Amino acid sequence: MDFGTWPRVFVVDVEGNGGQSPDLVEVAAIPVVNGGPVPSSARATLLRPPSPITPFARGVHGIRNQDVAQAPTWEQVGPQVRADLEGVWIAAHAAHVDYGVLLRHMPDWKPAGVLDTLRLARATFPNAGGYSLDALIELTGIDVTSIPGQRHRAAYDAHATALLLVALAGHYDTWDALLTAAVPPGMPGAPLPPAPESEEQTLW
């Protein structure tokens, strides 16, 4: 894989308030350049959701309502998030979740495409024992000890997923081969199916 051929890619992760249609309480994005994440260019922010964080959601990510009481709202930070992610490729683990939440907050947002490291891992390691982010970090031997923060927080998970994306991408020869394995059908950037072979028309 020649990582120098990649377009702009940002690995994203979001944490929600636990609502049926979750509101964001944290969003993070980290660019991948020349085969590695760039922590110095990462963005991460807490957000104050319109509805309180549920106990279940708090149990997952550890973010409390008092932690976001003075945080900006989506209306305040959304334009910057949109500017960062407009027209770029995004990647996430179980990407339909992160993409869906971001799209609900930015209905007119158009990323160049969506890479799903969960889908990519299943294609790369079809006999793996598990496909959670933790299981795949262990399987691939990725060193996450230098990542600041903690698991299930957006900045940490985005950074870890970026390392996983690079590790998995190394199993593919080209960007196009990666797309075939990593972009879910129907998502932005999905390869078009091959055109049917033309057949000579007959009268019958």
Side-chain angles (χ1 to χ4, degrees), residues 4-175:
T5 65
W6 282 29
R8 294 180 66 206
V9 176
F10 280 76
V11 179
V12 300
D13 190 80
V14 302
E15 303 298 339
N17 68 337
Q20 277 296 108
S21 297
D23 291 302
L24 288 169
V25 296
E26 191 173 36
V27 59
I30 185 168
V32 175
V33 179
N34 293 325
V38 185
S40 61
S41 297
R43 292 183 182 271
T45 185
L46 288 169
L47 297 125
R48 185 172 76 253
S51 299
I53 300 168
T54 66
F56 175 80
R58 185 177 67 247
V60 173
H61 49 57
I63 302 171
R64 304 167 300 172
N65 287 298
Q66 54 264 45
D67 296 328
V68 298
Q70 303 302 318
T73 64
W74 172 257
E75 287 71 25
Q76 292 172 298
V77 304
Q80 183 61 60
V81 175
R82 172 73 178 265
D84 289 340
L85 300 181
E86 184 68 27
V88 306
W89 282 83
I90 68 161
H93 199 65
H96 67 282
V97 175
D98 302 82
Y99 173 68
V101 173
L102 287 169
L103 189 63
R104 193 170 69 82
H105 284 72
M106 303 182 291
D108 299 325
W109 170 49
K110 290 181 172 58
V114 178
L115 303 169
D116 183 2
T117 52
L118 174 58
R119 179 181 177 85
L120 180 59
R122 285 175 170 156
T124 309
F125 302 116
N127 298 315
Y131 295 97
S132 68
L133 184 56
D134 293 318
L136 291 167
I137 287 170
E138 182 176 356
L139 176 67
T140 54
I142 294 170
D143 182 6
V144 295
T145 57
S146 63
I147 301 177
Q150 63 190 46
R151 184 74 169 87
H152 297 299
R153 291 295 300 267
Y156 183 101
D157 286 3
H159 194 154
T161 302
L163 293 174
L164 176 63
L165 172 64
V166 171
L168 295 174
H171 292 264
Y172 297 83
D173 292 332
T174 65
W175 171 256

